[in-house]
Amino acid sequence: MRITIWLSIVTFISTLYWPQLLNTSGMLSCALVLFVFLCWPRWRYLSAIPLTALYFSSFVYMTFLGGSVALVNPNSIAQNKYLLNNNNHKSSVNFISDALDAQDNNITVRIKSLINTKNSGYFIARITAFNGQACHYCPLIEMRWFRPVLQVQAGQIHQFKVRLKALQGNANPSGFDRQKWRYSQHIAYIASIKTHLNTIDPSLSLRAKLYQKILQVTDSMSQQGSLIALIFADKSLMSVSNKNSIKELGIAHLFAISGLHIGLLFIFSFVIFNGLLKKVLPGRFLGWFSWRLVNTLSFFVCIGYGYISGFSLPTQRALLMLLLGILMLSSKRKVSLLDLLVLCFWFMLLFDPLAILSSSLWLSFVAMSSILVFMWSMHRTEHLNRQDLPWWKTLLQNTITFIKGLVLLQLVLTLFMLPIQLVNFSAISLFSLFINLIAIPLFSWFIIPFTLLGSLILLIIEPIGVLFLSISNNLLEIFLDYASGLTLGYLALSDLTVSLILSTGLCILLCLFLWLLKRFFVVSQTLLSILIITFFSFIVLRITELKWDEQNTWQVEVFDVGQGLAVLVKSEGEVLLYDTGPSYSSDYAVADSTILPYLNARGITELDYLFVSHSDNDHAGGVFAIQDKLTIKNTYAGEAALMHREQIVKGHSFRKFKQCLAGQSFRLGKLTLKVLSPSKVGKNNNDNSCVIKISDGHKSVLLTGDISKVVEQKLVSENTTNQEANLKADILIAPHHGSKTSSSLAFIKQVQPDWVVFSAGYKNRWRFPILSVVERYQLLNVEHLTTANTGFIRFNVENQHIDVKTYREDLASYWYHRHLAF
């Protein structure tokens, strides 16, 4: 049985690297292999592999395709049409597939998200009917309402007219993988609301009523957003400064209701109920049932907390793992701790196979495992007989024991969660251990209990409930105020640094393991020496390889920033960034989740050049985010005066922009940069775009911004009269994202590109790139790439050869990064 469970877990983990889900032939092959394994007793345990693969694919299809018994033919679920495919986004089997092609669809949904004035135009809902037909098993959808005419609430049922499209997130290395995360939350569609048709059921859920009540009474509290996050797992009201402070202090796990939260609440409840039960009903009356009763009561407290937080998927997984742990610990049957943890992890994956896509699974599991290890060791420890000691000595020893246990628990959590944190976030807080030694007891014993008690009492005796919430608010304010100075200990690490840290840790563990083996077996000193020498040789070779690539290869990298543009050029350690992508509010720019994480992962803290083609938001939206985080030596813009005024209006005091003008020339490593346009700044923003040609003397790239055919014609004319204005380039970043106002035939013929890149958003409202423009490039045998389809694009130029890699097809070619062919 152990081998079967281990094989099943390994198969689940392998799905992270599947290029596609099983199609009809794949499922039939798995079924055949399963039958063969079941027929041979010696191979029967191997049946876990095909069975798990079948289960995973079926679960994904049912979760994302949904359907109704009357509407969907079960035999069509596994058809090849549902596979992920970049070249074809249409299918005609499922009713959702047809809806994706339709302009308008009438859907009935039950609201799932808790909604306030800040997120009223963005919420999650579950479909209950589709175009008048009942939907018995339908997926979750992400709903977007540009100008909401009413504020819906959790539990209500509404009917909307919407435009539906498959979920598509920006796909970049090192940045936040929104598409993968949304899939892990069982969301695969986006519905843009056009009209609200009808309110079918206006009644709110109990959770929504409590949410509205707490919003009302905490409106004047400084830490309202943090209180709401602790109670309902809703962070929409938290300020950006608070979110950043919490992340940099290393206490984000305390504001995410998941494994650690549930585990800490269980320990708190266990201690309280255990103390009360010993006072009310001494152990001699309950006997062996005493400990089990305390476990049960504590678990029901966690269930109540899970309901208030909306039974999010991380909460469900934590509760499931806690339940299994309690059942095993409360039973008389002996079970090893390793078996218990493996069994819990397996059940979590069976319950929700898509959890494997979420980093919260690993964080929750490691946190809960650490707490279970701690509880297991504490439960097995023999307690000293202190009946003959004076009361003050007993109190002192209990206090010392408590502090030791707290420090031990934090050390265990830090040790076990450090690798997960490094892999997922590439950052550490140097003071996290010290901060958590204060924060965990403060939150566990005061802030969270006061917050939850205040929320419950609020419905009965409002003044007392408000008092408890006020205490929590004051404690949070004091803690964050005093701890804010420790945010300086937050270190963002490059991928190379993270790899070195993890490799060193692995090497140390291996050496310790071999050293321990010396107690039982003969392990030669030579073996240890060879291991250490091999490790250091590998490190030296890896660093040498990276340095060689840096000196001999230059790169052009186009970020997937949605409807916008951002291009990075690197040569011999020098870096140029052309445009910065869009921003959607004063608090958020796409650069924060795409460009900056990538630069950090590559260890880039300084830009030699920042060029902003022109002032439009989709090109200049991330300028201030970039300037705030990086050192920039030279800053140029096609509309320098306008960008400078924008800095002053928004209160930023950074390096002044220099005007980008035709004729300017720069050096970037071994590359030559030549500015071809504008000759002067005019009234048309797009035509003021800074056009740059970058070349190593053999291969080149042309960056064009949003120029129109007017500027293209001007460049073509200059090219025929001035040899230095040569437009020929191997790589062309398409003007204006593939708009019909650009990419004239004469311009394309002059550039003669081998590749053209359209940087455009998935199913954007302008429908860029325009089909006629794409066909124009195809007519001249130019290979085209669109970031909406490929994600991040990298051109490696070495020895006069250009190698192209895209994120969805080469760098991370996994099923959850491809387009869903619905």
Side-chain angles (χ1 to χ4, degrees), residues 202-252:
S203 58
L204 277 64
S205 65
L206 177 62
R207 180 170 174 255
K209 292 177 182 176
L210 180 61
Y211 181 76
Q212 292 300 313
K213 183 68 175 178
I214 292 177
L215 278 181
Q216 179 185 347
V217 301
T218 60
D219 187 54
S220 60
M221 296 183 184
S222 60
Q223 296 296 323
Q224 182 193 38
S226 299
L227 293 173
I228 296 297
L230 288 172
I231 301 169
F232 299 102
D234 173 24
K235 298 179 183 178
S236 61
L237 290 173
M238 292 182 70
S239 65
V240 175
S241 60
N242 260 17
K243 288 180 180 178
N244 289 335
S245 295
I246 288 166
K247 179 185 72 173
E248 292 170 1
L249 289 171
I251 57 171

Tab-separated table of all heavy atoms in Angstrom, residues 202-252:
chain	number	residue	atom	x	y	z
A	202	PRO	N	-32.027	37.921	-4.043
A	202	PRO	CA	-31.236	39.000	-3.436
A	202	PRO	C	-30.708	38.685	-2.038
A	202	PRO	O	-29.986	39.489	-1.465
A	202	PRO	CB	-32.249	40.149	-3.362
A	202	PRO	CG	-33.567	39.460	-3.183
A	202	PRO	CD	-33.479	38.154	-3.944
A	203	SER	N	-31.068	37.524	-1.497
A	203	SER	CA	-30.681	37.220	-0.119
A	203	SER	C	-29.182	36.967	-0.005
A	203	SER	O	-28.587	36.309	-0.858
A	203	SER	CB	-31.452	35.997	0.390
A	203	SER	OG	-31.214	34.882	-0.428
A	204	LEU	N	-28.591	37.486	1.065
A	204	LEU	CA	-27.165	37.345	1.303
A	204	LEU	C	-26.890	36.112	2.146
A	204	LEU	O	-27.726	35.697	2.955
A	204	LEU	CB	-26.608	38.578	2.037
A	204	LEU	CG	-26.242	39.799	1.198
A	204	LEU	CD1	-27.463	40.407	0.524
A	204	LEU	CD2	-25.558	40.848	2.080
A	205	SER	N	-25.720	35.552	1.986
A	205	SER	CA	-25.306	34.450	2.853
A	205	SER	C	-24.973	35.003	4.233
A	205	SER	O	-24.747	36.211	4.404
A	205	SER	CB	-24.075	33.744	2.266
A	205	SER	OG	-22.970	34.623	2.244
A	206	LEU	N	-24.966	34.118	5.238
A	206	LEU	CA	-24.617	34.536	6.597
A	206	LEU	C	-23.232	35.166	6.632
A	206	LEU	O	-22.996	36.160	7.332
A	206	LEU	CB	-24.675	33.326	7.539
A	206	LEU	CG	-24.262	33.580	8.994
A	206	LEU	CD1	-25.194	34.594	9.646
A	206	LEU	CD2	-24.265	32.262	9.788
A	207	ARG	N	-22.325	34.619	5.860
A	207	ARG	CA	-20.966	35.144	5.796
A	207	ARG	C	-20.955	36.563	5.226
A	207	ARG	O	-20.230	37.428	5.720
A	207	ARG	CB	-20.127	34.205	4.934
A	207	ARG	CG	-18.688	34.606	4.754
A	207	ARG	CD	-17.911	33.466	4.102
A	207	ARG	NE	-16.565	33.873	3.783
A	207	ARG	CZ	-16.129	34.156	2.551
A	207	ARG	NH1	-16.972	34.047	1.517
A	207	ARG	NH2	-14.883	34.519	2.341
A	208	ALA	N	-21.743	36.805	4.188
A	208	ALA	CA	-21.800	38.138	3.586
A	208	ALA	C	-22.407	39.155	4.546
A	208	ALA	O	-21.977	40.308	4.602
A	208	ALA	CB	-22.609	38.087	2.292
A	209	LYS	N	-23.417	38.726	5.318
A	209	LYS	CA	-24.022	39.635	6.308
A	209	LYS	C	-23.010	40.018	7.373
A	209	LYS	O	-22.919	41.193	7.768
A	209	LYS	CB	-25.246	38.962	6.938
A	209	LYS	CG	-26.421	38.761	5.996
A	209	LYS	CD	-27.560	38.029	6.690
A	209	LYS	CE	-28.719	37.794	5.720
A	209	LYS	NZ	-29.821	37.006	6.336
A	210	LEU	N	-22.252	39.028	7.846
A	210	LEU	CA	-21.218	39.309	8.839
A	210	LEU	C	-20.154	40.229	8.246
A	210	LEU	O	-19.667	41.151	8.924
A	210	LEU	CB	-20.596	38.000	9.316
A	210	LEU	CG	-19.490	38.106	10.370
A	210	LEU	CD1	-20.022	38.753	11.642
A	210	LEU	CD2	-18.903	36.730	10.678
A	211	TYR	N	-19.825	40.008	6.979
A	211	TYR	CA	-18.827	40.833	6.292
A	211	TYR	C	-19.274	42.296	6.241
A	211	TYR	O	-18.505	43.212	6.550
A	211	TYR	CB	-18.613	40.274	4.890
A	211	TYR	CG	-17.593	41.007	4.054
A	211	TYR	CD1	-16.235	40.836	4.293
A	211	TYR	CD2	-17.974	41.843	3.007
A	211	TYR	CE1	-15.279	41.484	3.511
A	211	TYR	CE2	-17.040	42.496	2.224
A	211	TYR	CZ	-15.698	42.319	2.478
A	211	TYR	OH	-14.773	42.967	1.712
A	212	GLN	N	-20.524	42.511	5.848
A	212	GLN	CA	-21.040	43.877	5.761
A	212	GLN	C	-21.078	44.549	7.127
A	212	GLN	O	-20.781	45.746	7.262
A	212	GLN	CB	-22.440	43.858	5.135
A	212	GLN	CG	-22.486	43.464	3.680
A	212	GLN	CD	-21.673	44.397	2.804
A	212	GLN	OE1	-21.774	45.618	2.909
A	212	GLN	NE2	-20.844	43.823	1.938
A	213	LYS	N	-21.433	43.780	8.147
A	213	LYS	CA	-21.488	44.328	9.505
A	213	LYS	C	-20.095	44.746	9.978
A	213	LYS	O	-19.923	45.844	10.548
A	213	LYS	CB	-22.083	43.277	10.446
A	213	LYS	CG	-22.271	43.742	11.888
A	213	LYS	CD	-23.343	44.813	11.985
A	213	LYS	CE	-23.622	45.202	13.421
A	213	LYS	NZ	-24.631	46.267	13.533
A	214	ILE	N	-19.115	43.903	9.739
A	214	ILE	CA	-17.753	44.216	10.186
A	214	ILE	C	-17.171	45.368	9.373
A	214	ILE	O	-16.437	46.209	9.909
A	214	ILE	CB	-16.871	42.957	10.102
A	214	ILE	CG1	-17.342	41.929	11.133
A	214	ILE	CG2	-15.403	43.287	10.329
A	214	ILE	CD1	-16.622	40.623	11.111
A	215	LEU	N	-17.498	45.442	8.085
A	215	LEU	CA	-17.063	46.586	7.291
A	215	LEU	C	-17.574	47.886	7.886
A	215	LEU	O	-16.862	48.892	7.950
A	215	LEU	CB	-17.576	46.453	5.851
A	215	LEU	CG	-16.804	45.571	4.874
A	215	LEU	CD1	-17.480	45.606	3.508
A	215	LEU	CD2	-15.360	46.016	4.744
A	216	GLN	N	-18.810	47.842	8.351
A	216	GLN	CA	-19.439	49.043	8.909
A	216	GLN	C	-18.758	49.493	10.204
A	216	GLN	O	-18.423	50.667	10.366
A	216	GLN	CB	-20.927	48.772	9.157
A	216	GLN	CG	-21.676	49.950	9.752
A	216	GLN	CD	-23.107	49.583	10.093
A	216	GLN	OE1	-23.607	48.538	9.666
A	216	GLN	NE2	-23.768	50.443	10.841
A	217	VAL	N	-18.521	48.555	11.122
A	217	VAL	CA	-18.000	48.936	12.438
A	217	VAL	C	-16.492	49.205	12.411
A	217	VAL	O	-15.959	49.852	13.323
A	217	VAL	CB	-18.315	47.868	13.498
A	217	VAL	CG1	-19.809	47.659	13.616
A	217	VAL	CG2	-17.611	46.547	13.192
A	218	THR	N	-15.786	48.694	11.393
A	218	THR	CA	-14.334	48.914	11.324
A	218	THR	C	-13.957	50.018	10.345
A	218	THR	O	-12.773	50.229	10.076
A	218	THR	CB	-13.605	47.618	10.903
A	218	THR	OG1	-14.073	47.208	9.600
A	218	THR	CG2	-13.848	46.501	11.897
A	219	ASP	N	-14.949	50.734	9.830
A	219	ASP	CA	-14.703	51.733	8.798
A	219	ASP	C	-13.711	52.805	9.248
A	219	ASP	O	-12.922	53.309	8.447
A	219	ASP	CB	-16.018	52.388	8.379
A	219	ASP	CG	-15.842	53.307	7.191
A	219	ASP	OD1	-15.312	52.844	6.163
A	219	ASP	OD2	-16.201	54.497	7.294
A	220	SER	N	-13.740	53.155	10.525
A	220	SER	CA	-12.859	54.215	11.030
A	220	SER	C	-11.544	53.683	11.598
A	220	SER	O	-10.711	54.455	12.061
A	220	SER	CB	-13.592	55.012	12.120
A	220	SER	OG	-13.964	54.162	13.190
A	221	MET	N	-11.342	52.369	11.570
A	221	MET	CA	-10.127	51.779	12.138
A	221	MET	C	-8.998	51.806	11.112
A	221	MET	O	-9.204	51.501	9.939
A	221	MET	CB	-10.395	50.345	12.595
A	221	MET	CG	-11.411	50.244	13.719
A	221	MET	SD	-11.640	48.535	14.289
A	221	MET	CE	-12.962	48.752	15.489
A	222	SER	N	-7.805	52.130	11.566
A	222	SER	CA	-6.656	52.291	10.671
A	222	SER	C	-6.234	50.987	10.004
A	222	SER	O	-5.679	50.997	8.916
A	222	SER	CB	-5.477	52.879	11.444
A	222	SER	OG	-5.106	52.022	12.512
A	223	GLN	N	-6.476	49.852	10.680
A	223	GLN	CA	-6.060	48.550	10.145
A	223	GLN	C	-7.270	47.724	9.685
A	223	GLN	O	-7.268	46.504	9.801
A	223	GLN	CB	-5.282	47.772	11.210
A	223	GLN	CG	-3.980	48.426	11.622
A	223	GLN	CD	-2.983	48.512	10.482
A	223	GLN	OE1	-2.887	47.607	9.668
A	223	GLN	NE2	-2.249	49.613	10.427
A	224	GLN	N	-8.256	48.406	9.128
A	224	GLN	CA	-9.457	47.695	8.672
A	224	GLN	C	-9.112	46.599	7.665
A	224	GLN	O	-9.605	45.471	7.762
A	224	GLN	CB	-10.449	48.676	8.036
A	224	GLN	CG	-11.747	48.010	7.590
A	224	GLN	CD	-12.592	48.913	6.687
A	224	GLN	OE1	-12.058	49.643	5.863
A	224	GLN	NE2	-13.899	48.865	6.862
A	225	GLY	N	-8.251	46.927	6.696
A	225	GLY	CA	-7.892	45.947	5.679
A	225	GLY	C	-7.247	44.702	6.265
A	225	GLY	O	-7.546	43.581	5.851
A	226	SER	N	-6.371	44.884	7.263
A	226	SER	CA	-5.706	43.742	7.895
A	226	SER	C	-6.702	42.902	8.684
A	226	SER	O	-6.630	41.668	8.681
A	226	SER	CB	-4.590	44.235	8.814
A	226	SER	OG	-3.617	44.952	8.078
A	227	LEU	N	-7.641	43.559	9.389
A	227	LEU	CA	-8.660	42.826	10.158
A	227	LEU	C	-9.544	41.997	9.230
A	227	LEU	O	-9.834	40.827	9.513
A	227	LEU	CB	-9.511	43.802	10.967
A	227	LEU	CG	-8.810	44.544	12.115
A	227	LEU	CD1	-9.740	45.592	12.717
A	227	LEU	CD2	-8.361	43.571	13.195
A	228	ILE	N	-9.960	42.604	8.114
A	228	ILE	CA	-10.790	41.882	7.141
A	228	ILE	C	-10.024	40.691	6.570
A	228	ILE	O	-10.581	39.603	6.371
A	228	ILE	CB	-11.236	42.830	6.012
A	228	ILE	CG1	-12.143	43.933	6.557
A	228	ILE	CG2	-11.957	42.054	4.918
A	228	ILE	CD1	-13.437	43.463	7.159
A	229	ALA	N	-8.719	40.869	6.316
A	229	ALA	CA	-7.899	39.768	5.791
A	229	ALA	C	-7.798	38.630	6.798
A	229	ALA	O	-7.846	37.457	6.425
A	229	ALA	CB	-6.510	40.288	5.426
A	230	LEU	N	-7.662	38.952	8.089
A	230	LEU	CA	-7.541	37.923	9.117
A	230	LEU	C	-8.843	37.157	9.317
A	230	LEU	O	-8.831	35.971	9.632
A	230	LEU	CB	-7.119	38.564	10.445
A	230	LEU	CG	-5.674	39.054	10.533
A	230	LEU	CD1	-5.457	39.839	11.818
A	230	LEU	CD2	-4.695	37.895	10.446
A	231	ILE	N	-9.966	37.826	9.121
A	231	ILE	CA	-11.254	37.172	9.358
A	231	ILE	C	-11.744	36.435	8.117
A	231	ILE	O	-12.149	35.270	8.189
A	231	ILE	CB	-12.312	38.219	9.774
A	231	ILE	CG1	-11.866	38.956	11.037
A	231	ILE	CG2	-13.667	37.537	10.025
A	231	ILE	CD1	-12.708	40.163	11.363
A	232	PHE	N	-11.702	37.112	6.957
A	232	PHE	CA	-12.354	36.584	5.758
A	232	PHE	C	-11.387	36.190	4.635
A	232	PHE	O	-11.840	35.775	3.574
A	232	PHE	CB	-13.326	37.636	5.201
A	232	PHE	CG	-14.430	38.014	6.151
A	232	PHE	CD1	-14.356	39.199	6.867
A	232	PHE	CD2	-15.520	37.183	6.340
A	232	PHE	CE1	-15.368	39.564	7.738
A	232	PHE	CE2	-16.536	37.536	7.207
A	232	PHE	CZ	-16.462	38.727	7.919
A	233	ALA	N	-10.085	36.353	4.854
A	233	ALA	CA	-9.089	36.078	3.807
A	233	ALA	C	-9.295	36.973	2.589
A	233	ALA	O	-8.982	36.594	1.463
A	233	ALA	CB	-9.137	34.607	3.384
A	234	ASP	N	-9.806	38.175	2.805
A	234	ASP	CA	-10.037	39.157	1.747
A	234	ASP	C	-9.043	40.306	1.936
A	234	ASP	O	-9.141	41.064	2.896
A	234	ASP	CB	-11.476	39.667	1.810
A	234	ASP	CG	-11.722	40.809	0.838
A	234	ASP	OD1	-10.977	40.899	-0.150
A	234	ASP	OD2	-12.661	41.607	1.059
A	235	LYS	N	-8.080	40.422	1.010
A	235	LYS	CA	-7.033	41.430	1.147
A	235	LYS	C	-7.273	42.663	0.283
A	235	LYS	O	-6.397	43.506	0.146
A	235	LYS	CB	-5.684	40.808	0.770
A	235	LYS	CG	-5.268	39.649	1.656
A	235	LYS	CD	-3.942	39.071	1.227
A	235	LYS	CE	-3.561	37.864	2.072
A	235	LYS	NZ	-2.295	37.251	1.629
A	236	SER	N	-8.477	42.774	-0.292
A	236	SER	CA	-8.733	43.868	-1.223
A	236	SER	C	-8.700	45.234	-0.550
A	236	SER	O	-8.465	46.248	-1.216
A	236	SER	CB	-10.094	43.664	-1.908
A	236	SER	OG	-11.141	43.666	-0.949
A	237	LEU	N	-8.930	45.298	0.752
A	237	LEU	CA	-8.945	46.582	1.448
A	237	LEU	C	-7.602	46.928	2.093
A	237	LEU	O	-7.465	47.984	2.706
A	237	LEU	CB	-10.040	46.585	2.521
A	237	LEU	CG	-11.477	46.605	1.998
A	237	LEU	CD1	-12.480	46.423	3.131
A	237	LEU	CD2	-11.765	47.914	1.266
A	238	MET	N	-6.635	46.042	1.990
A	238	MET	CA	-5.320	46.340	2.547
A	238	MET	C	-4.586	47.333	1.652
A	238	MET	O	-4.614	47.219	0.423
A	238	MET	CB	-4.489	45.060	2.697
A	238	MET	CG	-5.004	44.103	3.745
A	238	MET	SD	-3.951	42.627	3.920
A	238	MET	CE	-2.493	43.352	4.673
A	239	SER	N	-3.915	48.301	2.267
A	239	SER	CA	-3.160	49.280	1.495
A	239	SER	C	-1.915	48.630	0.910
A	239	SER	O	-1.424	47.617	1.415
A	239	SER	CB	-2.764	50.459	2.387
A	239	SER	OG	-1.872	50.036	3.411
A	240	VAL	N	-1.397	49.230	-0.163
A	240	VAL	CA	-0.191	48.700	-0.810
A	240	VAL	C	0.989	48.743	0.153
A	240	VAL	O	1.794	47.804	0.207
A	240	VAL	CB	0.126	49.515	-2.087
A	240	VAL	CG1	1.446	49.065	-2.699
A	240	VAL	CG2	-0.999	49.363	-3.100
A	241	SER	N	1.089	49.803	0.944
A	241	SER	CA	2.205	49.908	1.896
A	241	SER	C	2.138	48.806	2.942
A	241	SER	O	3.167	48.235	3.327
A	241	SER	CB	2.189	51.284	2.568
A	241	SER	OG	0.975	51.492	3.265
A	242	ASN	N	0.924	48.497	3.407
A	242	ASN	CA	0.768	47.413	4.378
A	242	ASN	C	1.142	46.065	3.780
A	242	ASN	O	1.801	45.244	4.415
A	242	ASN	CB	-0.673	47.370	4.890
A	242	ASN	CG	-0.807	48.037	6.249
A	242	ASN	OD1	0.066	48.778	6.669
A	242	ASN	ND2	-1.912	47.783	6.922
A	243	LYS	N	0.700	45.824	2.544
A	243	LYS	CA	1.029	44.557	1.877
A	243	LYS	C	2.538	44.400	1.713
A	243	LYS	O	3.092	43.326	1.950
A	243	LYS	CB	0.340	44.492	0.511
A	243	LYS	CG	-1.163	44.285	0.571
A	243	LYS	CD	-1.753	44.228	-0.826
A	243	LYS	CE	-3.259	44.017	-0.782
A	243	LYS	NZ	-3.862	43.996	-2.134
A	244	ASN	N	3.196	45.492	1.303
A	244	ASN	CA	4.647	45.427	1.121
A	244	ASN	C	5.367	45.199	2.440
A	244	ASN	O	6.321	44.422	2.520
A	244	ASN	CB	5.152	46.713	0.465
A	244	ASN	CG	4.736	46.832	-0.991
A	244	ASN	OD1	4.492	45.823	-1.649
A	244	ASN	ND2	4.633	48.045	-1.489
A	245	SER	N	4.904	45.878	3.505
A	245	SER	CA	5.533	45.703	4.824
A	245	SER	C	5.385	44.275	5.314
A	245	SER	O	6.344	43.676	5.831
A	245	SER	CB	4.901	46.667	5.836
A	245	SER	OG	5.170	48.005	5.504
A	246	ILE	N	4.205	43.724	5.154
A	246	ILE	CA	3.941	42.355	5.608
A	246	ILE	C	4.808	41.358	4.837
A	246	ILE	O	5.369	40.425	5.410
A	246	ILE	CB	2.440	42.037	5.441
A	246	ILE	CG1	1.631	42.808	6.490
A	246	ILE	CG2	2.178	40.540	5.544
A	246	ILE	CD1	0.148	42.827	6.216
A	247	LYS	N	4.946	41.582	3.514
A	247	LYS	CA	5.793	40.694	2.706
A	247	LYS	C	7.253	40.807	3.128
A	247	LYS	O	7.944	39.800	3.292
A	247	LYS	CB	5.643	41.060	1.226
A	247	LYS	CG	6.498	40.211	0.298
A	247	LYS	CD	6.421	40.690	-1.137
A	247	LYS	CE	7.170	41.995	-1.333
A	247	LYS	NZ	7.257	42.410	-2.745
A	248	GLU	N	7.731	42.029	3.340
A	248	GLU	CA	9.143	42.236	3.650
A	248	GLU	C	9.495	41.842	5.079
A	248	GLU	O	10.661	41.570	5.372
A	248	GLU	CB	9.504	43.702	3.384
A	248	GLU	CG	9.460	44.055	1.904
A	248	GLU	CD	9.564	45.538	1.635
A	248	GLU	OE1	9.702	46.306	2.621
A	248	GLU	OE2	9.490	45.935	0.463
A	249	LEU	N	8.510	41.802	5.961
A	249	LEU	CA	8.762	41.338	7.325
A	249	LEU	C	8.765	39.812	7.414
A	249	LEU	O	9.171	39.255	8.433
A	249	LEU	CB	7.710	41.909	8.278
A	249	LEU	CG	7.799	43.411	8.579
A	249	LEU	CD1	6.569	43.873	9.352
A	249	LEU	CD2	9.065	43.747	9.348
A	250	GLY	N	8.275	39.158	6.368
A	250	GLY	CA	8.243	37.695	6.370
A	250	GLY	C	7.089	37.126	7.174
A	250	GLY	O	7.186	36.006	7.698
A	251	ILE	N	5.985	37.878	7.282
A	251	ILE	CA	4.825	37.406	8.063
A	251	ILE	C	3.579	37.313	7.189
A	251	ILE	O	2.459	37.319	7.713
A	251	ILE	CB	4.547	38.317	9.279
A	251	ILE	CG1	4.336	39.768	8.826
A	251	ILE	CG2	5.694	38.247	10.277
A	251	ILE	CD1	3.858	40.694	9.925
A	252	ALA	N	3.757	37.215	5.869
A	252	ALA	CA	2.600	37.128	4.976
A	252	ALA	C	1.753	35.902	5.283
A	252	ALA	O	0.533	35.906	5.090
A	252	ALA	CB	3.054	37.113	3.521
